Amino acid sequence: RKEVEQDPGPFNVPEGATVAFNCTYSNSASQSFFWYRQDCRKEPKLLMSVYSSGNEDGRFTAQLNRASQYISLLIRDSKLSDSATYLCVVGGGSYIPTFGRGTSLIVHP
Amino acid sequence: GAGVSQSPSNKVTEKGKDVELRCDPISGHTALYWYRQRLGQGLEFLIYFQGNSAPDKSGLPSDRFSAERTGESVSTLTIQRTQQEDSAVYLCASSFSGGFGNQPQHFGDGTRLSIL
């Protein structure tokens, strides 16, 4: 199974800060990319898909860098409620979609 | 519409007993996945169904684990002769099948399994 790697963190930031996470993947044939959010003791929930052209949803921006084989998630104006673990998923091609182990974000007052 | 439904929500059982976990995917989702997540750990892939077939069973940790799916709908994950290391949250996810792995997965709330 191909690897997907994330910095586990935690990233500890004040409210209002901008924070970015990267997720690297090893299979150059990967075709689909997603970011999920997982709150403590809850199931993962889809945050956003990552398109080749990049995409933005409010304070969240996701980008794909195929040449360097990583995806990124940028969160602007962090809120306390953004505190969670952020999981990247890489799929497509001929293998099962693979989840990274997640990056923990803690937003403090 | 309804999301992915898993039952039971919680299961406490004695070591050595068999348990059966159930997953009802979103209607129309042909792909179904089972994962295991131990406390403080990442998602561990167990098995994947495309329709009623399981092309990849490589994630099942031992022969005590088995899964089936019928009617391209409900799936059951069975753990025989449970061990304490089986204690975890078992998550089910489903997705449309629009190309292998190209569709986002939607998760159920999970079954929290505790082996005494």
Side-chain angles (χ1 to χ4, degrees):
Chain A
R1 181 156 290 111
K2 304 301 179 181
E3 287 194 13
V4 174
E5 297 189 26
Q6 296 183 254
D7 180 345
F11 285 61
N12 203 320
V13 303
E15 274 187 291
T18 295
V19 62
F21 314 129
N22 283 346
C23 168
T24 61
Y25 61 94
S26 58
N27 187 347
S28 59
S30 299
Q31 298 172 8
S32 60
F33 309 88
F34 307 99
W35 282 103
Y36 281 73
R37 170 194 170 124
Q38 186 172 27
D39 292 288
C40 187
R41 301 174 75 84
K42 296 286 191 179
E43 77 279 13
K45 292 186 177 177
L46 179 67
L47 181 64
M48 58 198 307
S49 303
V50 187
Y51 304 122
S52 296
S53 56
N55 50 307
E56 185 174 313
D57 183 3
R59 298 181 294 109
F60 298 82
T61 300
Q63 291 189 315
L64 167 64
N65 186 318
R66 284 195 183 274
S68 300
Q69 295 185 197
Y70 72 88
I71 61 173
S72 63
L73 178 67
L74 179 79
I75 306 175
R76 290 181 298 277
D77 188 23
S78 300
K79 311 291 184 190
L80 295 177
S81 58
D82 294 334
S83 298
T85 297
Y86 291 83
L87 308 171
C88 66
V89 187
V90 178
S94 60
Y95 65 100
I96 300 289
T98 303
F99 279 78
R101 295 199 57 178
T103 296
S104 175
L105 172 65
I106 301 170
V107 181
H108 59 81
Chain B
V4 177
S5 177
Q6 291 188 246
S7 61
S9 298
N10 290 281
K11 178 72 176 179
V12 180
T13 192
E14 293 180 346
K15 177 182 171 181
K17 301 286 188 183
D18 297 351
V19 296
E20 190 172 278
L21 312 180
R22 176 186 169 107
C23 173
D24 280 275
I26 293 171
S27 178
H29 281 193
T30 56
L32 186 148
Y33 305 80
W34 282 101
Y35 297 89
R36 178 169 72 178
Q37 188 170 34
R38 292 194 169 105
L39 189 63
Q41 302 296 311
L43 292 173
E44 179 185 356
F45 168 77
L46 297 179
I47 190 169
Y48 154 76
F49 287 91
Q50 180 57 47
N52 294 330
S53 300
D56 189 337
K57 301 180 181 179
S58 62
L60 294 176
S62 77
D63 59 8
R64 297 186 295 104
F65 287 72
S66 62
E68 65 175 15
R69 188 181 184 193
T70 56
E72 297 197 355
S73 181
V74 173
S75 176
T76 55
L77 176 68
T78 301
I79 308 174
Q80 296 178 307
R81 306 181 302 282
T82 51
Q83 303 293 314
Q84 288 187 330
E85 64 263 26
D86 299 334
S87 296
V89 175
Y90 289 81
L91 289 159
C92 175
S94 69
S95 72
F96 286 113
S97 179
F100 191 72
N102 285 344
Q103 299 298 319
Q105 299 173 48
H106 299 271
F107 285 82
D109 293 342
T111 293
R112 191 172 305 278
L113 177 64
S114 300
I115 309 299
L116 302 177

